[in-house]
Amino acid sequence: MNLKAKKKWGQNFLVDSTIRERIVQQANINPETLVIEIGPGQGSITTLMVDHVAHLLAYEIDPDLARVLKGQYQSYKKVEIIEGDFLIRDVKQDIKNVKTPYKSIKVVANLPYYITTPIITKLMLELDNIDELIIMVQYEVALRLTASVKDSDYSALSVITQYYSEPEFLFKVPPQAFRPQPKVESAVIKLIRLNKRLVPSNLESEWLEFIRFAFQQPRKTLVNNLTKAYNLTKDDVGETLVSLGLSLTSRADSLRIETLVKIFDIIRLKMI
Ligand code: SAM
């Protein structure tokens, strides 16, 4: 395939065959896996998977690439090239429409970096039946997604991702592995979905909002961030922290998810 890469869609094609193989190896797919690929591009990873899956749903926004891929996989009944924007597509319905039996669902993708966060958010929040994600992202984002509490990269994105999944940093990828070469380094990570949830599903959107508020100004204390966001007094928030044995100067980036959930529970009751 010899189409010019389109910058607006984050097209950096993976040309290093060793890296492609390592990604697919890490995905550990088999004929009982339903694979979702976001942005198959010129099919560099797709090609390595098509013969080993139960079914493959590949979403490509670029009509030129989608047309070529459709031609290429015309005779493969288990490969569906879906032209369009993954972010607005009803992927849940696409999964429901798959007739082939499968035992697990995995996302395998070299993501378009300009929409990494919305893609991961959609995968985590809307598509709760996905078991694992093996994804290439920008190196800095990989650090944030896999950061532990007190790491300098620990952020709202780390908490949200780790609320839904257990992350694993797999390996770093240099710009030379792509054409055209991106200006940034990349990394492949794995996110394994957790079945246990610390917050009941009816409170999930409030909890996610709480996390965004808690990290809104990361250098500020929780007392400052939460007082402002919830229109509470400093004493209200302060009492909550003290009742949990925490310092009044605690910041969100020093607290584990379990502790943040406890604070959320108390603040929520204060708001009723
Ligand atoms: N998988 C290919 C590879 O590794 O060589 C291409 C990866 S490239 C980084 C990202 C791909 O995502 C491009 O093919 C791009 O057209 C596609 N893409 C960008 N935005 C998209 C969206 N919203 N929905 C679906 N595909 C998208």
Side-chain angles (χ1 to χ4, degrees), residues 229-259:
Y230 289 105
N231 217 359
L232 290 166
T233 64
K234 286 199 172 186
D235 283 347
D236 278 332
V237 182
E239 268 170 25
T240 306
L241 298 184
V242 172
S243 72
L244 295 169
L246 300 168
S247 147
L248 288 173
T249 57
S250 302
R251 290 185 347 199
D253 62 5
S254 67
L255 302 174
R256 289 155 42 85
I257 297 187
E258 292 78 2
T259 312

Side-chain angles (χ1 to χ4, degrees), residues 11-158:
Q11 293 180 356
N12 296 97
F13 301 112
L14 184 59
V15 291
D16 184 320
S17 56
T18 311
I19 306 278
R20 293 174 187 173
E21 278 158 22
R22 284 180 77 187
I23 293 175
V24 176
Q25 236 168 34
Q26 285 289 346
N28 200 14
I29 54 176
N30 64 51
E32 293 186 317
T33 317
L34 166 59
V35 173
I36 296 178
E37 186 179 6
I38 301 146
Q42 302 184 338
S44 63
I45 305 173
T46 327
T47 314
L48 300 179
M49 302 194 287
V50 286
D51 290 323
H52 311 285
V53 296
H55 199 85
L56 192 143
L57 295 169
Y59 297 86
E60 179 51 64
I61 199 169
D62 183 338
D64 295 330
L65 291 174
R67 187 176 12 88
V68 178
L69 288 167
K70 278 181 189 168
Q72 199 168 325
Y73 296 114
Q74 206 174 14
S75 59
Y76 286 71
K77 285 213 168 56
K78 50 190 182 182
V79 177
E80 269 180 79
I81 306 293
I82 300 168
E83 182 185 326
D85 183 346
F86 177 78
L87 290 177
I88 56 172
R89 178 86 190 180
D90 186 350
V91 180
K92 233 180 178 147
Q93 190 56 48
D94 293 334
I95 295 175
K96 273 194 197 137
N97 293 344
V98 172
K99 297 280 176 289
T100 332
Y102 58 86
K103 283 202 176 143
S104 65
I105 309 183
K106 295 188 181 186
V107 170
V108 184
N110 169 17
L111 291 183
Y113 295 171
Y114 74 108
I115 43 169
T116 304
T117 304
I119 289 179
I120 293 181
T121 310
K122 174 166 179 146
L123 291 167
M124 294 289 160
L125 273 63
E126 282 177 38
L127 303 168
D128 50 8
N129 48 356
I130 292 177
D131 300 287
E132 252 180 59
L133 277 64
I134 296 85
I135 49 176
M136 173 109 73
V137 295
Q138 194 177 323
Y139 177 63
E140 280 71 22
V141 177
L143 292 182
R144 277 202 281 144
L145 291 167
T146 57
S148 307
V149 66
K150 290 186 181 150
D151 281 351
S152 60
D153 297 295
Y154 190 66
S155 64
L157 187 61
S158 326

Side-chain angles (χ1 to χ4, degrees), residues 189-243:
I189 60 166
K190 187 183 273 192
L191 302 175
I192 303 172
R193 184 174 283 278
L194 296 169
N195 292 320
K196 193 176 106 236
R197 289 279 177 281
L198 296 170
V199 173
S201 58
N202 61 323
L203 296 177
E204 218 159 74
S205 55
E206 275 179 62
W207 154 246
L208 296 175
E209 189 180 47
F210 168 82
I211 291 303
R212 284 190 202 101
F213 287 148
F215 283 89
Q216 200 150 40
Q217 299 210 42
R219 308 237 158 268
K220 293 213 166 161
T221 62
L222 257 186
V223 171
N224 268 320
N225 280 342
L226 296 181
T227 302
K228 207 167 146 208
Y230 289 105
N231 217 359
L232 290 166
T233 64
K234 286 199 172 186
D235 283 347
D236 278 332
V237 182
E239 268 170 25
T240 306
L241 298 184
V242 172
S243 72

